[in-house]
Coordinates of all heavy atoms in Angstrom, one line a residue:
M321 N 129.1 63.5 20.7 CA 128.5 63.1 19.5 C 128.0 64.4 18.8 O 127.3 65.2 19.4 CB 127.4 62.2 19.8 CG 126.4 62.0 18.7 SD 125.2 60.6 19.0 CE 123.7 61.5 19.1
T322 N 128.4 64.7 17.6 CA 127.9 65.8 16.9 C 127.4 65.3 15.5 O 128.1 64.7 14.8 CB 129.1 66.8 16.6 OG1 129.6 67.3 17.9 CG2 128.6 68.0 15.8
E323 N 126.1 65.5 15.3 CA 125.5 65.1 14.0 C 124.7 66.2 13.5 O 124.1 67.0 14.2 CB 124.6 63.9 14.2 CG 125.4 62.6 14.7 CD 124.6 61.4 14.6 OE1 124.0 61.1 13.6 OE2 124.6 60.7 15.6
L324 N 124.6 66.3 12.2 CA 123.8 67.3 11.5 C 122.4 66.7 11.2 O 122.3 65.6 10.6 CB 124.5 67.8 10.2 CG 123.7 68.7 9.3 CD1 123.5 70.1 10.1 CD2 124.5 69.0 8.0
A325 N 121.4 67.5 11.5 CA 120.0 67.1 11.2 C 119.3 68.3 10.6 O 119.2 69.3 11.3 CB 119.3 66.5 12.4
R326 N 118.7 68.1 9.4 CA 117.9 69.2 8.8 C 116.5 68.8 8.5 O 115.7 69.6 8.0 CB 118.6 69.6 7.5 CG 119.9 70.3 7.7 CD 120.5 70.8 6.4 NE 121.7 71.6 6.7 CZ 122.6 71.8 5.8 NH1 122.5 71.3 4.6 NH2 123.6 72.6 6.1
T327 N 116.1 67.6 8.8 CA 114.8 67.1 8.6 C 114.3 66.3 9.8 O 115.1 65.8 10.6 CB 114.7 66.2 7.3 OG1 115.4 65.0 7.6 CG2 115.3 66.9 6.1
P328 N 113.0 66.2 9.9 CA 112.4 65.4 11.0 C 112.9 63.9 11.0 O 113.2 63.3 12.0 CB 110.9 65.4 10.8 CG 110.7 66.8 10.2 CD 111.9 66.9 9.2
K329 N 113.1 63.4 9.8 CA 113.6 62.0 9.6 C 115.0 61.9 10.1 O 115.4 60.9 10.8 CB 113.5 61.5 8.2 CG 112.0 61.2 7.8 CD 112.0 60.6 6.4 CE 110.5 60.3 6.1 NZ 110.3 59.5 4.9
Q330 N 115.8 62.9 9.8 CA 117.2 62.8 10.3 C 117.3 62.9 11.8 O 118.1 62.3 12.5 CB 118.0 64.0 9.7 CG 118.3 63.7 8.2 CD 118.9 64.9 7.5 OE1 118.7 66.1 7.9 NE2 119.6 64.7 6.4
I331 N 116.5 63.8 12.4 CA 116.4 63.9 13.9 C 115.9 62.6 14.5 O 116.5 62.1 15.5 CB 115.5 65.1 14.3 CG1 116.1 66.4 13.9 CG2 115.2 65.0 15.8 CD1 115.2 67.6 14.1
G332 N 114.9 62.0 13.9 CA 114.4 60.7 14.3 C 115.5 59.6 14.3 O 115.6 58.8 15.2
A333 N 116.3 59.6 13.2 CA 117.4 58.6 13.1 C 118.4 58.8 14.2 O 118.9 57.8 14.8 CB 118.0 58.7 11.7
I334 N 118.7 60.0 14.5 CA 119.7 60.3 15.6 C 119.1 59.8 16.9 O 119.9 59.2 17.7 CB 120.0 61.8 15.6 CG1 120.8 62.2 14.4 CG2 120.8 62.2 16.9 CD1 120.9 63.7 14.2
I335 N 117.9 60.1 17.2 CA 117.3 59.7 18.4 C 117.3 58.1 18.5 O 117.6 57.6 19.6 CB 115.8 60.2 18.6 CG1 115.9 61.7 18.8 CG2 115.1 59.5 19.7 CD1 114.5 62.4 18.7
R336 N 116.9 57.5 17.4 CA 116.9 56.0 17.4 C 118.3 55.4 17.7 O 118.5 54.5 18.5 CB 116.4 55.5 16.1 CG 116.3 54.0 16.0 CD 115.8 53.4 14.7 NE 114.6 54.1 14.2 CZ 114.5 55.0 13.2 NH1 115.6 55.3 12.6 NH2 113.4 55.6 12.9
R337 N 119.3 56.0 17.0 CA 120.7 55.5 17.2 C 121.1 55.7 18.7 O 121.7 54.8 19.3 CB 121.7 56.2 16.3 CG 121.7 55.6 14.9 CD 122.9 56.1 14.1 NE 122.9 57.6 13.9 CZ 122.3 58.2 13.0 NH1 121.6 57.5 12.1 NH2 122.4 59.5 12.9
A338 N 120.9 56.9 19.2 CA 121.3 57.2 20.6 C 120.5 56.2 21.6 O 121.2 55.7 22.5 CB 121.0 58.6 20.9
R339 N 119.3 56.0 21.3 CA 118.5 55.1 22.2 C 119.1 53.7 22.2 O 119.3 53.0 23.2 CB 117.0 55.1 21.8 CG 116.2 54.0 22.6 CD 114.7 54.0 22.1 NE 114.5 53.7 20.7 CZ 114.6 52.5 20.2 NH1 114.9 51.4 21.0 NH2 114.3 52.3 18.9
K340 N 119.3 53.2 21.0 CA 119.9 51.8 20.8 C 121.3 51.7 21.4 O 121.6 50.6 21.9 CB 119.8 51.4 19.3 CG 118.4 51.1 18.9 CD 118.4 50.6 17.5 CE 116.9 50.2 17.1 NZ 116.9 49.5 15.8
Q341 N 122.1 52.7 21.3 CA 123.4 52.7 21.9 C 123.3 52.5 23.4 O 124.2 51.9 24.0 CB 124.2 54.0 21.6 CG 124.7 54.1 20.1 CD 125.3 55.4 19.8 OE1 125.2 56.4 20.6 NE2 126.0 55.5 18.7
R342 N 122.3 53.0 24.0 CA 122.1 52.9 25.4 C 121.4 51.6 25.8 O 121.3 51.2 27.0 CB 121.3 54.1 26.0 CG 122.2 55.3 26.0 CD 121.3 56.6 26.0 NE 122.1 57.8 26.0 CZ 122.7 58.3 24.9 NH1 122.7 57.7 23.7 NH2 123.4 59.4 25.0
G343 N 121.0 50.8 24.8 CA 120.3 49.6 25.0 C 118.9 49.7 25.5 O 118.4 48.8 26.2
W344 N 118.3 50.9 25.3 CA 116.9 51.1 25.8 C 115.9 50.8 24.7 O 116.1 50.9 23.5 CB 116.8 52.6 26.1 CG 117.6 53.1 27.2 CD1 118.4 52.4 28.1 CD2 117.9 54.5 27.5 NE1 119.1 53.2 28.9 CE2 118.8 54.5 28.6 CE3 117.4 55.7 27.0 CZ2 119.2 55.7 29.2 CZ3 117.8 56.9 27.6 CH2 118.7 56.9 28.7
T345 N 114.7 50.4 25.2 CA 113.5 50.2 24.3 C 112.9 51.6 24.2 O 113.2 52.5 24.9 CB 112.5 49.3 24.9 OG1 112.0 49.8 26.1 CG2 113.1 47.9 25.2
Q346 N 111.9 51.7 23.3 CA 111.2 52.9 23.1 C 110.4 53.2 24.4 O 110.3 54.4 24.8 CB 110.2 52.9 21.9 CG 110.9 52.9 20.6 CD 110.0 52.8 19.4 OE1 108.8 52.4 19.6 NE2 110.5 53.2 18.3
T347 N 109.9 52.2 25.0 CA 109.2 52.3 26.3 C 110.0 52.9 27.4 O 109.6 53.8 28.1 CB 108.5 51.0 26.7 OG1 107.7 50.5 25.7 CG2 107.8 51.1 28.0
E348 N 111.3 52.4 27.5 CA 112.2 52.9 28.5 C 112.5 54.3 28.3 O 112.6 55.1 29.2 CB 113.5 52.0 28.5 CG 113.3 50.6 29.1 CD 114.5 49.7 28.9 OE1 115.1 49.8 27.8 OE2 114.8 49.0 29.8
L349 N 112.8 54.7 27.0 CA 113.1 56.1 26.7 C 111.9 57.0 27.0 O 112.0 58.0 27.6 CB 113.5 56.3 25.3 CG 113.8 57.7 24.8 CD1 114.8 58.5 25.7 CD2 114.2 57.7 23.3
G350 N 110.7 56.5 26.7 CA 109.5 57.2 27.0 C 109.3 57.5 28.4 O 109.0 58.6 28.9
A351 N 109.6 56.5 29.2 CA 109.5 56.6 30.7 C 110.5 57.6 31.2 O 110.1 58.4 32.1 CB 109.7 55.2 31.4
R352 N 111.7 57.6 30.7 CA 112.7 58.6 31.2 C 112.4 60.0 30.7 O 112.8 60.9 31.4 CB 114.1 58.2 30.6 CG 114.6 56.9 31.2 CD 115.9 56.4 30.5 NE 116.3 55.1 31.0 CZ 117.3 54.9 31.8 NH1 117.9 55.9 32.4 NH2 117.6 53.7 32.2
A353 N 111.7 60.1 29.6 CA 111.3 61.5 29.1 C 109.9 61.9 29.5 O 109.5 63.0 29.2 CB 111.4 61.5 27.6
G354 N 109.2 61.0 30.2 CA 107.8 61.4 30.6 C 106.9 61.4 29.4 O 105.9 62.1 29.4
L355 N 107.1 60.5 28.5 CA 106.3 60.4 27.3 C 105.9 58.9 27.0 O 106.4 58.0 27.5 CB 107.1 60.9 26.0 CG 107.6 62.3 26.1 CD1 108.6 62.6 25.0 CD2 106.4 63.3 26.1
R356 N 104.8 58.8 26.2 CA 104.4 57.5 25.8 C 105.3 56.8 24.8 O 106.0 57.5 24.0 CB 103.0 57.5 25.2 CG 101.9 58.1 26.2 CD 100.5 58.2 25.7 NE 100.6 58.7 24.3 CZ 99.7 58.3 23.3 NH1 98.8 57.4 23.5 NH2 99.8 58.8 22.1
Q357 N 105.3 55.5 24.7 CA 106.1 54.8 23.7 C 105.7 55.2 22.3 O 106.5 55.4 21.4 CB 106.0 53.3 23.9 CG 106.7 52.4 22.8 CD 105.8 52.2 21.6 OE1 104.6 52.1 21.7 NE2 106.5 52.1 20.5
E358 N 104.4 55.5 22.1 CA 103.9 55.8 20.8 C 104.5 57.2 20.3 O 104.8 57.4 19.1 CB 102.4 56.0 20.8 CG 101.7 54.6 21.0 CD 101.6 54.2 22.5 OE1 102.0 54.9 23.4 OE2 101.0 53.1 22.7
T359 N 104.8 58.1 21.3 CA 105.4 59.4 20.9 C 106.8 59.2 20.5 O 107.3 59.8 19.5 CB 105.3 60.3 22.1 OG1 103.9 60.5 22.5 CG2 105.9 61.7 21.8
I360 N 107.5 58.3 21.2 CA 108.9 58.0 20.8 C 108.9 57.4 19.4 O 109.8 57.8 18.5 CB 109.6 57.0 21.8 CG1 109.5 57.6 23.2 CG2 111.0 56.7 21.4 CD1 110.2 58.9 23.4
S361 N 108.0 56.5 19.1 CA 107.9 55.9 17.8 C 107.7 56.9 16.7 O 108.3 56.9 15.6 CB 106.8 54.8 17.8 OG 106.7 54.2 16.5
L362 N 106.8 57.8 16.9 CA 106.5 58.9 16.0 C 107.7 59.7 15.7 O 108.0 60.1 14.5 CB 105.3 59.8 16.4 CG 104.0 59.2 16.4 CD1 103.0 60.1 17.1 CD2 103.5 58.8 15.0
M363 N 108.5 60.1 16.7 CA 109.7 60.9 16.6 C 110.7 60.1 15.8 O 111.3 60.7 14.9 CB 110.3 61.2 17.9 CG 109.6 62.4 18.6 SD 110.5 62.8 20.1 CE 109.4 63.9 20.8
E364 N 110.9 58.9 16.1 CA 111.9 58.1 15.4 C 111.6 57.9 13.9 O 112.6 57.7 13.2 CB 112.1 56.8 16.1 CG 112.8 56.9 17.5 CD 113.2 55.6 18.1 OE1 112.9 54.5 17.5 OE2 113.8 55.6 19.2
T365 N 110.4 57.9 13.6 CA 110.0 57.7 12.2 C 110.0 59.1 11.4 O 109.7 59.1 10.2 CB 108.7 57.0 12.0 OG1 107.7 57.7 12.7 CG2 108.8 55.6 12.5
G366 N 110.3 60.2 12.1 CA 110.3 61.5 11.5 C 109.0 62.1 11.3 O 108.8 63.1 10.5
N367 N 108.0 61.7 12.1 CA 106.7 62.4 12.0 C 106.8 63.9 12.4 O 107.2 64.1 13.6 CB 105.7 61.7 12.9 CG 104.3 62.2 12.8 OD1 104.0 63.3 12.7 ND2 103.4 61.2 12.7
P368 N 106.5 64.8 11.6 CA 106.7 66.2 11.9 C 105.7 66.8 12.9 O 105.8 67.9 13.3 CB 106.6 66.9 10.5 CG 105.7 66.0 9.7 CD 106.0 64.6 10.2
A369 N 104.8 65.9 13.3 CA 103.8 66.4 14.3 C 104.3 66.4 15.7 O 103.6 66.9 16.6 CB 102.5 65.6 14.2
A370 N 105.5 65.9 15.9 CA 106.1 65.8 17.3 C 106.2 67.2 17.8 O 106.7 68.1 17.1 CB 107.4 65.1 17.3
R371 N 105.9 67.4 19.1 CA 106.0 68.8 19.7 C 107.4 69.1 20.1 O 108.1 68.2 20.5 CB 105.0 68.8 20.9 CG 103.6 68.7 20.5 CD 102.6 68.8 21.7 NE 103.2 69.1 23.0 CZ 102.7 69.0 24.1 NH1 101.5 68.5 24.2 NH2 103.3 69.3 25.3
L372 N 107.7 70.3 20.1 CA 109.1 70.7 20.4 C 109.4 70.4 21.9 O 110.5 69.9 22.2 CB 109.2 72.2 20.2 CG 110.6 72.8 20.5 CD1 111.7 72.1 19.6 CD2 110.6 74.3 20.2
D373 N 108.5 70.6 22.8 CA 108.8 70.2 24.2 C 109.0 68.7 24.4 O 109.9 68.3 25.2 CB 107.7 70.8 25.2 CG 106.3 70.2 24.9 OD1 106.0 69.8 23.7 OD2 105.5 70.2 25.8
S374 N 108.3 67.9 23.6 CA 108.6 66.5 23.6 C 109.9 66.1 23.1 O 110.7 65.3 23.7 CB 107.5 65.7 22.8 OG 106.2 65.9 23.4
L375 N 110.3 66.8 22.0 CA 111.6 66.5 21.4 C 112.7 66.9 22.4 O 113.7 66.2 22.7 CB 111.8 67.4 20.2 CG 113.2 67.3 19.6 CD1 113.7 65.9 19.1 CD2 113.3 68.3 18.4
L376 N 112.6 68.0 23.1 CA 113.6 68.5 24.1 C 113.6 67.5 25.3 O 114.7 67.3 25.8 CB 113.3 69.9 24.5 CG 113.5 71.0 23.4 CD1 113.0 72.3 23.9 CD2 114.9 71.0 22.9
A377 N 112.5 67.0 25.7 CA 112.5 66.0 26.8 C 113.2 64.7 26.4 O 114.0 64.2 27.2 CB 111.0 65.7 27.2
V378 N 113.0 64.3 25.2 CA 113.7 63.1 24.7 C 115.2 63.3 24.6 O 116.0 62.5 25.1 CB 113.1 62.6 23.3 CG1 114.0 61.6 22.7 CG2 111.7 62.1 23.5
L379 N 115.6 64.5 24.1 CA 117.0 64.8 24.0 C 117.7 64.8 25.4 O 118.8 64.3 25.6 CB 117.3 66.1 23.2 CG 116.9 66.1 21.7 CD1 117.1 67.5 21.1 CD2 117.7 65.0 21.0
A380 N 117.0 65.4 26.3 CA 117.5 65.5 27.7 C 117.6 64.1 28.3 O 118.6 63.8 28.9 CB 116.6 66.4 28.5
A381 N 116.6 63.3 28.1 CA 116.7 61.9 28.6 C 117.9 61.1 28.0 O 118.5 60.3 28.7 CB 115.4 61.2 28.3
L382 N 118.2 61.4 26.8 CA 119.4 60.8 26.2 C 120.7 61.5 26.5 O 121.8 61.0 26.0 CB 119.2 60.7 24.6 CG 118.0 59.8 24.1 CD1 117.7 60.1 22.7 CD2 118.4 58.4 24.3
G383 N 120.7 62.5 27.2 CA 121.9 63.3 27.5 C 122.4 64.1 26.3 O 123.6 64.3 26.2
L384 N 121.5 64.5 25.4 CA 121.8 65.2 24.2 C 121.2 66.6 24.3 O 120.3 66.9 25.1 CB 121.3 64.5 23.0 CG 121.7 63.1 22.7 CD1 121.0 62.5 21.6 CD2 123.2 63.0 22.5
E385 N 121.6 67.5 23.5 CA 121.1 68.9 23.4 C 120.9 69.3 22.0 O 121.6 68.8 21.1 CB 121.9 69.8 24.2 CG 123.3 70.1 23.7 CD 124.2 70.9 24.6 OE1 123.7 71.3 25.6 OE2 125.3 71.2 24.1
C386 N 120.1 70.3 21.8 CA 119.9 70.9 20.5 C 120.7 72.2 20.4 O 120.6 73.0 21.3 CB 118.4 71.1 20.3 SG 118.0 71.9 18.7
R387 N 121.4 72.4 19.3 CA 122.1 73.6 19.1 C 121.7 74.2 17.8 O 121.5 73.5 16.8 CB 123.6 73.4 19.1 CG 124.2 73.0 20.4 CD 125.7 72.8 20.3 NE 126.1 72.3 21.6 CZ 127.3 72.7 22.1 NH1 128.1 73.4 21.5 NH2 127.6 72.2 23.3
V388 N 121.5 75.5 17.7 CA 121.1 76.1 16.5 C 122.3 76.9 15.9 O 122.9 77.7 16.6 CB 119.9 77.1 16.7 CG1 119.5 77.8 15.4 CG2 118.7 76.3 17.3
L389 N 122.7 76.6 14.7 CA 123.9 77.2 14.1 C 123.5 77.7 12.7 O 122.4 77.4 12.1 CB 124.9 76.1 13.9 CG 125.4 75.3 15.1 CD1 126.3 74.2 14.7 CD2 126.1 76.2 16.0
S390 N 124.3 78.6 12.2 CA 124.1 79.1 10.8 C 124.2 77.9 9.9 O 125.1 77.0 10.1 CB 125.1 80.2 10.5 OG 124.9 81.3 11.3
R391 N 123.3 77.9 8.9 CA 123.3 76.8 7.9 C 124.6 76.8 7.1 O 125.1 77.9 6.7 CB 122.1 76.9 7.0 CG 122.0 75.7 6.1 CD 120.8 75.9 5.2 NE 119.6 75.6 5.9 CZ 119.0 74.4 5.9 NH1 119.6 73.4 5.3 NH2 117.9 74.2 6.6
S392 N 125.2 75.6 6.9 CA 126.4 75.5 6.1 C 126.0 75.6 4.6 O 124.8 75.7 4.3 CB 127.1 74.2 6.4 OG 126.3 73.1 6.2
T393 N 127.0 75.5 3.7 CA 126.7 75.7 2.3 C 125.7 74.6 1.8 O 125.7 73.5 2.4 CB 128.0 75.6 1.5 OG1 128.6 74.3 1.8 CG2 128.9 76.7 1.8
G394 N 125.0 74.9 0.8 CA 124.0 74.0 0.3 C 122.7 74.3 0.9 O 122.5 74.5 2.1
E395 N 121.7 74.3 0.1 CA 120.3 74.6 0.5 C 119.5 73.4 0.4 O 119.6 72.6 -0.5 CB 119.7 75.8 -0.3 CG 120.4 77.1 0.0 CD 119.7 78.3 -0.7 OE1 118.5 78.2 -0.8 OE2 120.4 79.2 -1.0
T396 N 118.6 73.3 1.4 CA 117.6 72.2 1.4 C 116.3 72.7 0.9 O 115.8 73.7 1.4 CB 117.5 71.5 2.8 OG1 118.8 71.1 3.2 CG2 116.5 70.4 2.8
A397 N 115.7 72.0 -0.1 CA 114.4 72.5 -0.6 C 113.3 72.3 0.6 O 113.4 71.4 1.4 CB 114.0 71.6 -1.8
L398 N 112.4 73.2 0.6 CA 111.3 73.1 1.6 C 110.6 71.8 1.6 O 110.3 71.2 2.7 CB 110.3 74.2 1.4 CG 109.3 74.5 2.5 CD1 110.0 74.8 3.8 CD2 108.4 75.7 2.1
E399 N 110.5 71.2 0.5 CA 109.8 69.8 0.4 C 110.6 68.8 1.1 O 110.0 67.8 1.6 CB 109.6 69.4 -1.1 CG 108.7 70.3 -1.9 CD 109.3 71.6 -2.3 OE1 110.5 71.7 -2.5 OE2 108.5 72.6 -2.5
E400 N 111.9 68.9 1.2 CA 112.7 67.9 1.9 C 112.6 68.0 3.4 O 112.8 67.0 4.1 CB 114.2 68.1 1.5 CG 114.5 67.8 0.1 CD 116.0 68.0 -0.2 OE1 116.8 67.6 0.6 OE2 116.3 68.5 -1.3
I401 N 112.2 69.2 3.9 CA 112.1 69.4 5.3 C 110.8 68.8 5.8 O 110.7 68.2 6.9 CB 112.2 70.9 5.7 CG1 113.6 71.3 5.3 CG2 111.9 71.1 7.1 CD1 113.8 72.8 5.4
F402 N 109.7 69.0 5.1 CA 108.4 68.5 5.5 C 107.9 67.4 4.6 O 107.4 67.0 3.9 CB 107.4 69.6 5.5 CG 107.8 70.7 6.5 CD1 108.4 71.9 6.1 CD2 107.6 70.5 7.9 CE1 108.8 72.9 7.0 CE2 108.0 71.5 8.8 CZ 108.6 72.6 8.4

């Protein structure tokens, strides 16, 4: 699975889709990632307060990884990111 995410909401949507594809609840994903269900909920709604280590734990629990690439054409306004 390769998806582009440039905002917290887009990352949250990817996490939600991956979790649902596995048939997991937020509580189950939280348990696998060592996080509370509330943290999973915040991530899935795109709350920018989510910590990077929590995000990486969730991605690992889902069998996903984060890759940093050069931005493709088109710029995103700073307001769209936060």
